Amino acid sequence: MKEFINWMADPIRSFPVVTLLYYLMMRYYRIVGTKKFAYISLAVLLPVVVWFCTDPNFVAIILWPDNIPINIIIVLIAWLTWYSLYRCAQNDERLEQGLTPIEATPENREKVWTWPNLVYVELMCMIGTTIFLVVWAIIFKAPLEEPANPTWAPNPAKAPWYFLGLQEMLVYFDPWMAGVVLPGLIVVGLLAVPYIDTNPKGNGYFTIAERKMAMWFFMFGWLVLWIYLIIVGTFLRGPNWTFYGPFEFWDFHKVVAEYNVNLSEFVWVKWLNMPMPHNMIVREFLGIILTAVYVVVLPPLSATTKWGKKLIGDMGKVRYYIFIFLLLGMTSLPIKMVLRWLFSLKYIIALPELELSL
Amino acid sequence: MSGKGFADKVRETQVWKSIFRHGPPNNARNRAAVIAGNVFLHLHPIKLKKSGVQLGYTWCMGGLTFFIFLALTVTGLLLMFYYRPTAEYAYNDIIALKEHVPLGIMREIHRWGAHAMVITVWLHMFRVFMTGSYKPPREFNWGVGVILLVLTLLLSFTGYLLPWDQLAIWAITVGSNMAKATPFLGHGGPGAALAQIGDFVMVSDKNDVRFQLLAGRFVGEPALLRFYILHCVFIPLVVGTLIAVHFWRVRKDGGISAPL
Ligand code: HEM
């Protein structure tokens, strides 16, 4: 059983599984967002977690002090995601019946005094957080390792946990993409959200039915591409950034035979049976064409589809192209992952001469 | 006895009245006065919609982010009394803190609090998205929020280096190596090789963005000083200012969002 879980946890398998779970969750949010579902999944998950915790390797990794925040965030996100779906399901049900969202009932629109209502809630939150932090601080001492030694690197050398999603992307992309371009796109994309999402509905209340597209894209990026990758980077990557299952001991000698091939090598060596050309542009022509198609041809092409036309009608051309461009940036990650797993593809374009590999 | 309790008598003293300026907040006039008359509480409106008070709506995540930021400012200030940002002292000062301050948990609170702030700021953004609160008229405030999110991460990241242990310098090495790959601006990034005139290399490891960040070609003492100042002075000031803007805009944009 443990062997099986170790085997399943490898991103090759767990990424599709997580994506599928994500799809089911969003598709059937009316079912997921019920109290009954929550109780049943708690009843199923708790014993599983307890059983997981009987394994020393698993306990060692989750109790490492700097990993505690991730345990906390996993629990909070699971709970708050469920809670959001619950609120959305409730509101969408009401909207279907022609009622207002719960947030708009006369009772909730009524104005109340800040003192004592809000001040009291805030005080309770502050006291709760203070107790929580103090208990956390008493139980877990802040770690301090050996003094800094620039000549000896620990293995694995990990960034702080909130950047491990980015470090995990380094498996699939070079640093200029994983460390600069993609994070840049995330920030720009977030800044652009209110200007791209022109749907006036769903402002100030929980709903999925009235803003399906925004929800589906955002939640995928947030839960699957960001949080899931952080979990992988933290718990499942050991020395040399090799994959280790949750019950596996971090053995420094685990060797993983991995041999990845560039697209240009596929083209020239495997398919055409020719030596690699000297001119780098000729060598990489297919990758360059494919990338150009992806970035330059796909957006206008998508604009001619029914979906694209409708969106352009709603939001106008400028917004549409910015949106598609950001979307392509986001999907480049799962695309590269899948290509790696299916074909051991290393780079679509490999131009080490220019430090420009994709 | 005149029938008044001790508390009532205290409330009638000149000292009490000079501090609070109004009677107990049990009627409309005084409830307004207590919010408007207090510099901290006046961040709030005097009345607000019931949905905005409910934990189920705001999750109080923005408020908690701010509270944790304040807690970090206080504990951080206390830590500064014990810490010197040089390669010679930094690590030993942290050890000394552990050994000489009995029952001390300031470092713990500061470290775990920093993690907690990253968590709450993410969850705050999650909530704001789920309730669609970035939609007009709150687009700009969402933008201010995104910048705050980035700065929160940078604040945490710069602080990570200060203990000057193996964890610290190597985590920062991994992180700052990314800067090396910045297109055109990092010496290992795409485009840098083009910026060369004859033998003259314009972007090298001695002047690229990573060099500017670390004040050197690797994580050494100059980087420690740079990160220390960013962490203790510069970023907190910017974050504090932006939080003020953020709160002001929450009020000006019509308070906590609710269905139109
Ligand atoms: C240091 C970081 C931050 C602090 C201290 C902070 C604080 C707050 C507070 C106290 C509120 C009042 C409502 C609430 O508590 O939910 C609020 C509202 C808001 N925040 Fe933040 N915030 C921060 C970061 C962010 C981020 C990262 C975003 C989004 C990307 C954001 C976007 C907003 C928006 C749009 C509102 C208005 C919400 C509404 O009206 O329902 N903030 N913020």
Side-chain angles (χ1 to χ4, degrees):
Chain A
M1 188 64 196
K2 284 186 177 175
E3 295 280 299
F4 177 73
I5 294 182
N6 280 341
W7 181 79
M8 277 306 289
D10 191 323
I12 299 186
R13 287 165 281 270
S14 61
F15 180 78
V17 170
V18 168
T19 310
L20 181 72
L21 286 180
Y22 167 74
Y23 172 80
L24 293 176
M25 179 188 90
M26 291 301 279
R27 179 82 179 65
Y28 299 106
Y29 73 97
R30 295 275 185 102
I31 301 173
V32 177
T34 54
K35 288 198 169 145
K36 207 165 134 198
F37 183 91
Y39 290 135
I40 295 177
S41 27
L42 256 188
V44 175
L45 280 176
L46 273 183
V48 175
V49 172
V50 171
W51 175 70
F52 265 51
C53 288
T54 57
D55 186 283
N57 290 326
F58 182 76
V59 171
I61 179 108
I62 63 166
L63 284 190
W64 195 62
D66 264 337
N67 283 350
I68 302 293
I70 316 178
N71 303 328
I72 295 174
I73 202 171
I74 291 174
V75 174
L76 285 178
I77 286 183
W79 173 43
L80 289 174
T81 304
W82 171 81
Y83 182 73
S84 309
L85 295 182
Y86 167 72
R87 295 278 299 239
C88 290
Q90 254 182 348
N91 272 345
D92 290 345
E93 177 94 33
R94 289 174 60 94
L95 289 166
E96 257 169 33
Q97 296 167 359
L99 299 167
T100 58
I102 293 180
E103 289 85 347
T105 55
E107 189 201 340
N108 276 333
R109 280 188 182 277
E110 187 198 336
K111 290 225 170 180
V112 294
W113 291 102
T114 300
W115 183 289
N117 301 285
L118 179 60
V119 178
Y120 174 77
V121 173
E122 287 176 345
L123 183 68
M124 286 304 142
C125 286
M126 290 196 290
I127 294 176
T129 312
T130 309
I131 294 176
F132 183 80
L133 274 179
V134 170
V135 171
W136 187 0
I138 290 175
I139 298 180
F140 291 98
K141 287 283 129 200
L144 187 66
E145 300 193 349
E146 304 284 294
N149 179 355
T151 56
W152 182 79
N155 187 2
K158 290 194 178 189
W161 62 273
Y162 37 83
F163 286 144
L164 287 187
L166 300 177
Q167 204 176 349
E168 175 65 16
M169 286 185 207
L170 280 174
V171 175
Y172 309 99
F173 281 115
D174 269 8
W176 72 275
M177 274 295 281
V180 185
V181 174
L182 288 176
L185 280 184
I186 296 175
V187 174
V188 172
L190 283 175
L191 285 170
V193 163
Y195 304 97
I196 292 175
D197 180 6
T198 50
N199 174 4
K201 288 193 181 143
N203 185 348
Y205 53 97
F206 288 90
T207 172
I208 289 183
E210 293 197 336
R211 44 196 292 252
K212 281 207 182 92
M213 212 173 76
M215 281 290 182
W216 276 82
F217 283 127
F218 179 84
M219 295 279 272
F220 180 72
W222 159 240
L223 294 176
V224 181
L225 293 185
W226 187 249
I227 297 298
Y228 161 79
L229 283 189
I230 289 182
I231 295 174
V232 172
T234 314
F235 294 136
L236 305 178
R237 294 291 182 185
N240 304 328
W241 211 255
T242 311
F243 167 78
Y244 285 83
F247 303 122
E248 215 172 325
F249 177 67
W250 282 16
D251 172 5
F252 281 75
H253 305 294
K254 179 173 177 177
V255 184
V256 182
E258 198 179 341
Y259 185 67
N260 295 323
V261 184
N262 293 332
L263 181 63
S264 48
E265 287 163 339
F266 272 109
V267 172
W268 296 102
V269 182
K270 281 205 175 165
W271 298 337
L272 298 178
N273 247 325
M274 278 162 55
M276 299 282 274
H278 286 298
N279 185 313
M280 58 190 186
I281 305 295
V282 178
R283 190 186 68 210
E284 304 294 333
F285 80 97
L286 186 61
I288 295 176
I289 292 177
L290 286 179
T291 310
V293 168
Y294 188 73
V295 186
V296 184
V297 183
L298 268 193
L301 204 66
S302 71
T304 61
T305 61
K306 218 173 107 195
W307 182 73
K309 279 186 187 141
K310 186 178 167 300
L311 281 183
I312 292 187
D314 288 348
M315 59 166 99
K317 276 208 159 117
V318 178
R319 287 195 179 86
Y320 177 77
Y321 281 111
I322 295 177
F323 167 63
I324 290 292
F325 184 71
L326 291 168
L327 191 66
L328 289 177
M330 176 162 126
T331 46
S332 67
L333 179 65
I335 290 178
K336 192 82 198 286
M337 291 168 131
V338 170
L339 289 177
R340 171 70 53 84
W341 298 326
L342 291 183
F343 308 110
S344 300
L345 180 81
K346 188 162 185 204
Y347 291 125
I348 297 174
I349 303 180
L351 291 172
E353 296 91 336
L354 300 178
E355 308 275 5
L356 184 90
S357 297
L358 207 67
Chain B
M1 292 287 275
S2 61
K4 284 182 182 171
F6 179 68
D8 293 311
K9 282 192 180 150
V10 172
R11 286 206 187 95
E12 274 162 21
T13 59
Q14 189 184 358
V15 174
W16 181 277
K17 282 183 182 164
S18 71
I19 297 174
F20 292 104
R21 302 181 77 235
H22 53 73
N26 50 18
N27 58 36
R29 192 177 156 276
N30 286 347
R31 282 180 176 173
V34 69
I35 298 297
N38 180 302
V39 65
F40 304 107
L41 292 179
H42 96 287
L43 291 172
H44 302 107
I46 286 167
K47 278 182 133 187
L48 76 173
K49 285 194 209 82
K50 201 165 169 195
S51 62
V53 179
Q54 288 160 350
L55 264 186
Y57 188 75
T58 61
W59 307 352
C60 202
M61 279 304 162
L64 281 184
T65 312
F66 181 50
F67 174 64
I68 297 176
F69 177 70
L70 293 181
L72 289 173
T73 311
V74 174
T75 51
L77 212 78
L78 292 176
L79 290 176
M80 284 172 80
F81 285 121
Y82 292 86
Y83 176 86
R84 287 163 289 179
T86 63
E88 190 184 347
Y89 293 127
Y91 184 79
N92 291 331
D93 284 349
I94 303 275
I95 300 252
L97 188 69
K98 210 159 67 174
E99 286 175 355
H100 301 326
V101 184
L103 301 180
I105 53 168
M106 279 313 132
R107 184 167 167 242
E108 277 70 22
I109 295 201
H110 195 73
R111 191 180 184 101
W112 304 141
H115 290 313
M117 184 173 167
V118 173
I119 295 177
T120 54
V121 79
W122 286 4
L123 294 178
H124 174 53
M125 186 187 81
F126 182 33
R127 183 295 278 186
V128 171
F129 190 91
M130 293 312 279
T131 56
S133 305
Y134 56 82
K135 301 190 176 202
R138 297 185 179 79
E139 309 100 304
F140 177 74
N141 216 15
W142 165 272
V144 175
V146 174
I147 305 296
L148 277 170
L149 175 93
V150 174
L151 289 175
T152 306
L153 293 181
L154 288 180
L155 208 46
S156 202
F157 183 68
T158 47
Y160 217 77
L161 181 64
L162 304 185
W164 205 242
D165 62 347
Q166 280 289 73
L167 197 64
I169 67 160
W170 289 101
I172 304 305
T173 303
V174 169
S176 59
N177 268 343
M178 303 269 189
K180 184 167 76 178
T182 312
F184 301 108
L185 300 177
H187 75 275
L194 299 177
Q196 192 168 2
I197 305 171
D199 281 345
F200 179 65
V201 183
M202 286 205 280
V203 183
S204 76
D205 63 350
K206 291 187 204 65
N207 65 7
D208 66 349
V209 275
R210 192 183 58 155
F211 188 93
Q212 308 306 330
L213 182 70
L214 298 180
R217 283 174 296 158
F218 52 87
V219 181
E221 189 157 25
L224 180 58
L225 182 60
R226 205 159 269 208
F227 274 48
Y228 175 77
I229 292 171
L230 285 174
H231 182 78
C232 298
V233 185
F234 187 74
I235 305 181
L237 279 179
V238 179
V239 169
T241 312
L242 283 180
I243 288 181
V245 175
H246 196 61
F247 287 1
W248 179 254
R249 285 302 293 248
V250 171
R251 291 285 302 276
K252 292 293 137 182
D253 293 340
I256 304 294
S257 57
L260 301 172

